[in-house]
């Protein structure tokens, strides 16, 4: 646990603010490109933000990856989802066969899919294409006690950082994150309630598509989980341990490592139809690029967002300036 | 003129409602794919709509093209734009050199760009890569009389249909449309006011980025154009002739030919920051997919929309069903 803490501290220390010099140069270049100033709207802002994250005035997003982490949730014993828990395992095998939505969208954008088993019930075969970072065969039922130990929470984060550090060696310019885990909107809603301070009923959604009675039950289970565990909003590791999930912790670690390595990934690609997402984005001060009523997970929204991110930097890099193209500027 | 009318009538006769059988089959397939039902949100609806347009239950959008038509506007003599009129011609040469935003985004989605000279002031060299359908060296000043004759308006539409019929021979599964013409938001706003019945001041925007005083002037010029010409809202050809543009007429013809040939193109890819666009979409009953504050033209919004359209049909075609993947459905 001491080693894990040390690893995380070192990564967090490396996270720096956006590079203002690169951003200023990107702004200046945007204003010389052959278009009315500002006419590329949110795509201009996005390219400038990516310049700031990467510390490159004219970034290139060649190596793209979607990191999809899977794990099971003990709270599914309380009947919070439409689908049986074995779907987590079955869907991981579907990812591997290339038949899931995230596979299709990753092919569209030329991204590789990194599939990580963070703790799928029943285990998964040791085969190429699945990276095993298994913490346990699913979390414990958070409605009766903590989902995991504090040590396991730390291990999730470290696993996420290890995956990203490994992928950087293979080339990584932008990272999309996604999850697979039956029951994980129950855990995500619990975390959202704790972190934003909003009422559970205000931020809990229908997940895979439950009806009104099932939603009321899901809300009660989340409220019970918070009452039983009393997670401390000021201690993120406590929140993750008590009401989180292995894949959620793994993705948090991956985001820290991406940030430490100037790799864009905390861009809000879309606003999910899942109710709590708007509260999360508001809390983080992020504006979503897309609003397509998606609520699938896996990283599907991220894949679409990566297309926009790559579009924005390709526009910045590949468009001619007024003087290069011999186009008259404002009269 | 009689021949032109006959050509158009024949094309309009071929336009059929959406194919309900193909749509029903697409709906059924969406519901068997390995995801919670409805969880792909607007992308599910989009794939079903494209099934209806193409009359294919599982459409494929392999051959993609952006049709960018260029022409000049006599009304620029009244100082309605930030940019000098010669920018239209300069930008066409920029399209040809591959340095404009539409070139970058078309490369992103693997679409070809079809550049058509519908009537650029000063003319353009007879070179590969520009299709000449020149009606005249720009329209007349609509603030003092009709922008073009009724015969020219008809010729614009026929030219648009000819381009699409020609491109179909090269392979065409989806068409995005765009325009280049300094002064054309002035013309577009006039058309929008006539067709929607809204006040000019309610639907006129800042185009390339004019200030408040310039906007007030632009509104006065449009109001004057409507007073001088009295276009008949019930006669689309009259509206096009009196306050339209050659590229606008050409695109209208292209849309008719696309519709007649089951080629998707009247999908609202985005909501422009240009004020009148929302009124147009409302009038047409179309929901935009994106809202990125774009106001560039050229077909840039369409290129992003084509990415979403192709994503939607690839999801429909390439995702595994529950039974194919051995994934358990709702318990």
């Amino acid at each position: 646990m001491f080693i894990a803490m040390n690893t995380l501290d070192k990564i967090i220390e490396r996270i720096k603010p956006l590079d203002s010099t690169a951003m200023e140069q990107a702004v200046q270049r945007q204003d010389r490109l052959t278009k009315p100033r500002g006419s590329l709207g949110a795509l201009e802002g996005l390219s400038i933000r990516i310049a700031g994250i990467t510390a490159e005035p004219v970034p290139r997003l060649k190596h793209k990856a979607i990191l999809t982490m899977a794990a099971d949730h003990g709270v599914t014993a309380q009947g919070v989802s439409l689908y049986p828990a074995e779907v987590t395992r079955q869907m991981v095998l579907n990812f591997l066969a290339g038949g899931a939505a995230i596979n299709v969208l990753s092919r569209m954008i030329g991204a590789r899919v990194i599939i990580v088993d963070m703790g799928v019930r029943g285990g998964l075969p040791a085969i190429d294409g699945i990276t095993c970072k298994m913490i346990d065969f699913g979390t414990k039922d958070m409605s009766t006690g903590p989902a995991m130990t504090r040590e396991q929470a730390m291990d999730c984060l470290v696993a996420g950082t290890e995956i990203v550090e490994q992928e950087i060696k293979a080339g990584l310019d932008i990272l999309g994150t996604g999850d697979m885990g039956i029951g994980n909107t129950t855990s995500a809603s619990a975390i959202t309630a704790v972190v934003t301070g909003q009422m559970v009923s205000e931020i809990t959604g229908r997940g895979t598509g439950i009806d009104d009675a099932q939603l009321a039950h899901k809300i009660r289970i989340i409220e019970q989980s918070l009452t039983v565990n009393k997670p401390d909003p000021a201690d993120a590791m406590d929140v993750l341990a008590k009401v989180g999930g292995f894949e959620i912790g793994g993705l948090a670690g991956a985001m820290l490592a991406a940030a430490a390595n100037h790799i864009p990934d905390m861009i809000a690609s879309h606003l999910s139809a899942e109710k709590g997402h708007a509260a999360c984005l508001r809390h983080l001060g992020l504006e979503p690029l897309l609003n397509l009523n998606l609520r699938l997970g896996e990283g599907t929204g991220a894949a679409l967002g990566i297309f926009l991110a790559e579009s924005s930097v390709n526009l910045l890099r590949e468009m001619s300036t007024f003087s290069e193209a011999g186009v008259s500027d404002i009269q």
Side-chain angles (χ1 to χ4, degrees), chain A:
Chain A
M1 182 138 154
F2 175 75
I3 294 167
M5 199 66 223
N6 202 14
T7 304
L8 286 177
D9 282 346
K10 277 191 185 153
I11 283 172
I12 291 165
E13 265 170 32
R14 282 166 51 207
I15 300 175
K16 297 280 174 276
L18 299 183
D19 186 299
S20 57
T21 310
M23 290 175 84
E24 186 47 47
Q25 288 175 284
V27 168
Q28 283 171 15
R29 182 168 169 84
Q30 279 290 2
D31 285 350
R32 289 197 306 268
L33 299 177
T34 44
K35 59 179 171 56
R37 279 170 191 77
S39 63
L40 282 170
L43 295 182
E44 294 193 19
L46 182 55
S47 72
I48 292 159
R49 181 135 185 256
I50 295 170
I53 296 169
T54 58
E56 295 281 349
V58 189
R60 183 184 290 266
L61 302 177
K62 189 177 169 196
H63 300 287
K64 291 155 275 185
I66 302 283
L67 172 59
T68 305
M69 292 188 150
D72 273 300
H73 291 259
V75 73
T76 52
Q78 303 298 332
V80 287
S81 177
L82 279 188
Y83 290 83
E86 59 256 34
V87 165
T88 305
R89 187 176 184 282
Q90 292 165 344
M91 281 300 296
V92 171
L93 297 174
N94 194 21
F95 297 155
L96 200 70
I102 191 55
N103 302 109
V104 179
L105 294 180
S106 295
R107 288 193 289 267
M108 283 293 301
I109 62 165
R112 63 186 188 271
V113 184
I114 307 157
I115 308 167
V116 180
D117 173 9
M118 289 298 300
V120 173
R121 196 179 296 179
L124 282 157
I127 35 178
D128 274 0
I130 305 177
T131 305
C132 181
K133 291 284 180 183
M134 207 256 294
I135 307 288
D136 198 352
F137 294 121
T139 54
K140 303 256 184 295
D141 181 354
M142 69 176 188
S143 70
T144 59
M148 65 185 92
T149 66
R150 196 177 173 95
E151 184 162 9
Q152 285 178 320
M154 203 86 80
D155 288 346
C156 289
L157 283 151
V158 172
T161 68
E162 286 169 353
I163 295 282
V164 169
E165 303 275 2
Q166 186 61 41
E167 292 295 330
I168 286 170
K169 291 177 197 158
L172 186 62
D173 298 320
I174 188 164
L175 182 70
T177 51
D179 59 82
M180 178 67 224
I182 296 297
N184 67 9
T185 64
T186 303
S187 171
S189 300
I191 295 172
T192 302
V194 175
V195 172
T196 67
Q198 285 195 247
M199 284 171 62
V200 173
S201 58
E202 287 172 342
I203 50 81
T204 301
R206 293 175 189 274
T208 46
I210 53 177
D211 66 21
D212 287 353
Q214 291 164 318
L215 177 60
H217 173 66
K218 180 175 173 180
I219 290 169
R220 275 194 306 274
I221 293 294
I222 295 169
E223 286 170 343
Q224 182 184 320
S225 304
L226 298 181
T227 307
V228 165
N229 288 292
K230 297 185 183 51
D232 176 2
D235 180 356
M237 209 64 83
D238 189 60
V239 180
L240 175 61
K242 287 174 172 167
V243 296
F246 298 141
E247 79 284 35
I248 294 172
L251 292 171
M255 288 177 199
L256 292 177
N261 288 287
H262 300 280
I263 294 164
D265 101 322
M266 277 288 282
I267 291 161
S269 52
H270 79 125
L271 175 65
S272 170
E274 178 66 16
K275 203 172 173 186
H277 197 224
C280 289
L281 294 181
R282 219 169 23 244
H283 185 77
L284 293 166
L286 294 174
E287 274 290 327
L289 293 164
L290 294 157
N291 183 356
L292 294 169
N293 258 310
L294 306 179
R295 52 178 174 83
L296 176 51
E298 301 179 6
T300 45
L304 302 177
I306 287 177
F307 169 78
L308 294 178
E310 190 180 5
S311 295
S312 81
V313 299
N314 284 5
L315 286 161
L316 181 64
R317 191 177 62 251
E318 298 177 14
M319 278 181 74
S320 296
T321 62
F322 282 104
S323 62
E324 282 166 359
V327 173
S328 307
D329 203 346
I330 297 178
Q331 41 195 334

